[in-house]
Amino acid sequence: MGPLLQAIWRSAGVCAGVAGAVAILFAVAGLLPAAQAAASSDGRWEGELRYCGGHATLVVEVEDGTFRAPFRLQGGKTTIGSRDMEFAGRITSNGSIEGGRIIGRAASVISGKFENGKAAGGGTDRRCTGDWSLVLVEPATPKSESQAGPEGARQDAANADVRADGAAPLIDARKEIATNEAVVVLEGSVADASRVVEFAVDSRPVVLDGAGRFSLSRAVPLGESTIVITAMDEWGNFADHRITVRRSATVVAETEAGDMATRSADTSPPLIAVPPRIETASAIVEITGGVLDNSALIEVTVAGEPVTLSAGGQFSLRRGVPRGVSEIEVTALDEWGNQTIARIIVSRTTVTTAADPATDPESRLALEPEPEPDVATDRAPPEIALPVLLETERPEVVIEGQVTDGSTIADVRVDDRPVRVADDGSFKLSRAVAVGDTEVVVVAIDEWGNRAERKVQVTRRLLDLDLGKFHALAIGNNEYVGMPVLKTAIADAEAVSDILADDYGFEVQTLTNATRSDVIGAMSALRARLTFDDNLLIYYAGHGIVDPITERGYWLPVDAAPDNPTNWVSNADITDMLKAIPARHLLVIADSCYSGTLVRAVNANLETWEDRRAWLSRMAAKRSRTALSSGGLEPVTDSGGDGHSVFARTLINVLRDNTEVIDAQNLFRPVRERVAVNANQTPQYSDVRLAGHDGGDFIFVPHRR
């Protein structure tokens, strides 16, 4: 108990005794209104819900002003009659409903009031309206008086604190989005003092990361629409956040304006072609159909799940169905907000095998359909047996598990992809995973629609190759005195420096407009500082030249004169320095001519993960001195890469996109292919002659993932 509460306790003990002290404690915590609401509304309520043309019996248990009652509609004209839903909300101190909704329906809202043993109100969502009424049939038993004395009061206060989380989750997201794109990105976070047990966007569950953040894409129609984000914590506190999206037509040329004006008048809904009725004896049915519309289709769903259409607008999928008669709803929404709903009636019968009635009268009984079990009797979801955690170094992981259920398993999916299940319910699949932590979701649905979900945490580690520290020297020269000024060399060197430092953990030194003294001095300092276990990358962007007689290449610092080689840095200078620097792996990347090298004659053939791992281990263990140049002996381009040279832009993109431990030879391949296509130059990669190369290679290890 803090000093303030101790003071209140001492004061209350003098003024009003134990009961007064407890009341003051509740008042300080702000709990009296909630307690009073619970006292007047807690208990068992019974009544009826009329919604979407159907009806359901409600049995609502209210505790501490919070309720959440499961139900299933009977009748009506929509598929929701086959779904389990919940009637949920919280009763405020004046008896009105706060955060009321029907869990399982998009954008649903429940309103109404609890008063004098009776309650009534209405409900609405995007497609349906309805009303409900309840009567109190069994009030809650009043809570016992607290034990006399300070200890009892403290215990009551502690219990009250446990029940006292009446604060709804806080959803942090934009309130308005203006766009001319058909798909918008929704980003935000959810915060709550308690555990958030349900989070959805338009009633579709969304997974939050460990910090409560979310990011997802959502299709939106032209015009104004609303996206509803909902969250509920473990105490039943509910919050919703509505985003108004205004999507305008894309700006077009005047020649297309007439067409756009015509299209803006599109009020015709999409045409859905599906069979009106399916009869089957199987727990799984094949649903095929097509959707046509004069405008672009934004979303097509089958039983509430999005489906992908072929180029011709067709779709095909398998879905589990319960015994008896059920309904599958197909919806299509075009870019103008026109929507069509089609319904498929599915009749699943029980197959019986019978003898000839003429010869076996008793077999007539077998011809009579077996009475269908009560759908509500099998409410148990399937059981999924899975490992909780998997660890691997491989780029893919094998996931094995088993699904069991008293009824037929209708569908098993891993990350929303169908999985083939054996007769005993076992399954096995390989799934690609990125470096770091990946959550794999397995969902199983039985023939009654009962759903189970399990998650596997997959941790993929980077290869442990016993590599040392990584260093880089980046040189970018633009401002030449006796030669043409370059446009992008400094920007190239700085961008390469940033990605090496941020994404690969290099310690980087960057030189801009460097003289010969600057270059040689920086290399000499590295020679004195580095050890055999270190790795060094030298990046040079600037002028280069090749002596046509000696075929020797040179880097040209900013103080070099085109007709005087005094300040040129030759291949021989660089080779001598590479041989002297005591790093295990050393890679030179030159965005200029770098001649005098021999292209490596042997390429690695890495067909399996084991081959690749063994190759990387060998490359990491051996000393390497290699060079990657932006071209051979031909001139290279100083621009054409959106503020960078073509070579530098390609190199930056390849480094940024890479998520694997990779050797420089394999990094070079996509660089060479892309540069050769986009510029009149062909990058080269080779070992540097006479520099101490011993068959190894430079290894890049991404640190950002």
Side-chain angles (χ1 to χ4, degrees), residues 144-187:
S144 60
E145 295 289 335
S146 62
Q147 297 176 353
E151 290 302 320
R154 279 196 292 266
Q155 184 62 47
D156 279 0
N159 292 338
D161 285 340
V162 171
R163 300 189 304 269
D165 183 5
L170 177 62
I171 303 174
D172 183 15
R174 298 171 63 180
K175 293 184 178 180
E176 294 185 354
I177 297 176
T179 182
N180 57 14
E181 301 292 334
V183 177
V184 296
V185 176
L186 307 178
E187 294 181 314

Side-chain angles (χ1 to χ4, degrees), residues 619-675:
M619 294 300 98
K622 293 185 177 182
R623 180 180 170 95
S624 69
R625 295 294 184 270
T626 54
L628 169 58
S629 65
S630 58
L633 296 178
E634 74 271 19
V636 297
T637 305
D638 177 45
S639 59
D642 190 21
H644 298 281
S645 72
V646 172
F647 173 79
R649 169 52 65 193
T650 304
L651 175 65
I652 292 166
N653 289 342
V654 170
L655 285 170
R656 180 177 292 116
D657 294 342
N658 176 56
T659 61
E660 304 288 338
V661 176
I662 188 172
D663 57 287
Q665 182 178 184
N666 281 290
L667 184 83
F668 158 71
R669 289 173 180 168
V671 172
R672 184 184 188 212
E673 292 170 0
R674 298 179 195 179
V675 172

Side-chain angles (χ1 to χ4, degrees), residues 130-145:
D131 59 83
W132 57 272
S133 59
L134 298 169
V135 295
L136 180 61
V137 297
E138 186 179 339
T141 303
K143 293 183 171 57
S144 60
E145 295 289 335

Side-chain angles (χ1 to χ4, degrees), residues 481-648:
V481 177
M483 286 173 283
V485 172
L486 296 178
K487 300 176 182 178
T488 66
I490 290 179
D492 295 345
E494 290 177 342
V496 170
S497 297
D498 290 342
I499 199 167
L500 290 177
D502 296 341
D503 293 0
Y504 292 86
F506 278 67
E507 181 182 319
V508 183
Q509 178 185 3
T510 305
L511 300 179
T512 58
N513 295 325
T515 64
R516 173 184 169 85
S517 175
D518 294 333
V519 173
I520 299 301
M523 289 188 179
S524 298
L526 289 169
R527 173 183 178 180
R529 184 161 59 92
L530 299 188
T531 69
F532 175 79
D533 291 327
D534 290 328
N535 307 272
L536 174 63
L537 184 152
I538 299 173
Y539 177 86
Y540 173 76
H543 276 304
I545 194 171
V546 176
D547 188 317
I549 298 176
T550 63
E551 294 186 351
R552 175 172 290 178
Y554 296 86
W555 290 354
L556 300 181
V558 293
D559 60 346
D563 55 355
N564 184 349
T566 302
N567 290 329
W568 298 2
V569 179
S570 70
N571 286 353
D573 295 330
I574 298 169
T575 298
D576 290 344
M577 192 62 69
L578 298 185
K579 188 174 183 178
I581 293 175
R584 182 186 302 178
H585 301 129
L586 207 158
L587 171 65
V588 176
I589 301 178
D591 196 357
S592 67
C593 295
Y594 188 92
S595 62
T597 60
L598 295 174
V599 176
R600 188 176 300 194
V602 179
N603 288 326
N605 183 18
L606 310 177
E607 295 184 354
T608 68
W609 168 251
E610 287 72 19
D611 291 342
R612 180 170 170 236
R613 194 185 197 291
W615 167 264
L616 289 170
S617 296
R618 289 196 300 271
M619 294 300 98
K622 293 185 177 182
R623 180 180 170 95
S624 69
R625 295 294 184 270
T626 54
L628 169 58
S629 65
S630 58
L633 296 178
E634 74 271 19
V636 297
T637 305
D638 177 45
S639 59
D642 190 21
H644 298 281
S645 72
V646 172
F647 173 79

Side-chain angles (χ1 to χ4, degrees), residues 172-445:
D172 183 15
R174 298 171 63 180
K175 293 184 178 180
E176 294 185 354
I177 297 176
T179 182
N180 57 14
E181 301 292 334
V183 177
V184 296
V185 176
L186 307 178
E187 294 181 314
S189 62
V190 181
D192 194 83
S194 304
R195 184 168 59 93
V196 175
V197 296
E198 183 178 304
F199 180 73
V201 175
D202 283 343
S203 286
R204 293 179 186 166
V206 174
V207 178
L208 300 171
D209 67 11
R213 295 184 296 263
F214 62 90
S215 179
L216 69 151
S217 298
R218 174 74 162 75
V220 293
L222 280 165
E224 184 172 309
S225 58
T226 302
I227 297 174
V228 181
I229 303 175
T230 58
M232 185 169 66
D233 67 17
E234 60 185 330
W235 299 100
N237 301 312
F238 172 81
D240 64 357
H241 179 89
R242 296 172 185 265
I243 302 176
T244 300
V245 182
R246 296 180 180 87
R247 181 184 163 203
S248 58
T250 305
V251 177
V252 296
E254 287 186 16
T255 56
E256 302 176 16
D259 293 339
M260 180 57 70
T262 302
R263 291 181 63 234
S264 66
D266 181 10
T267 58
S268 301
L271 175 64
I272 301 176
V274 292
R277 189 175 187 89
I278 297 176
E279 294 188 0
T280 182
S282 172
I284 300 175
V285 295
E286 187 86 18
I287 302 171
T288 59
V291 183
L292 295 175
D293 195 77
N294 293 326
S295 304
L297 289 166
I298 293 298
E299 185 177 55
V300 176
T301 68
V302 175
E305 296 295 328
V307 296
T308 301
L309 299 178
S310 68
Q314 291 86 28
F315 64 87
S316 179
L317 71 154
R318 290 160 59 84
R319 185 181 187 277
V321 294
R323 292 172 178 165
V325 179
S326 60
E327 199 174 64
I328 297 175
E329 185 178 86
V330 182
T331 68
L333 176 71
D334 70 16
E335 61 180 332
W336 301 100
N338 303 310
Q339 185 178 50
T340 300
I341 301 175
R343 297 179 176 87
I344 305 171
I345 304 299
V346 181
S347 178
R348 180 182 165 199
T349 58
T350 303
V351 176
T352 59
T353 303
D356 186 352
T359 59
D360 184 5
E362 294 183 2
S363 68
R364 293 192 183 112
L365 297 175
L367 291 177
E368 298 176 2
E370 294 181 1
E372 294 291 348
D374 182 5
V375 173
T377 57
D378 183 4
R379 301 295 297 276
E383 294 185 2
I384 306 175
L386 277 174
V388 177
L389 179 66
L390 293 173
E391 294 186 356
T392 183
E393 284 185 345
R394 302 169 65 94
E396 68 281 329
V397 64
V398 175
I399 299 174
E400 297 182 80
Q402 187 174 34
V403 180
T404 57
D405 193 82
S407 304
T408 302
I409 299 296
D411 193 21
V412 176
R413 292 175 178 264
V414 175
D415 285 343
D416 206 30
R417 295 180 181 177
V419 176
R420 184 179 298 276
V421 180
D423 292 340
D424 63 353
S426 62
F427 62 89
K428 180 178 180 179
L429 74 152
S430 179
R431 185 193 185 285
V433 289
V435 173
D437 293 332
T438 301
E439 189 175 70
V440 179
V441 180
V442 180
V443 173
I445 302 174

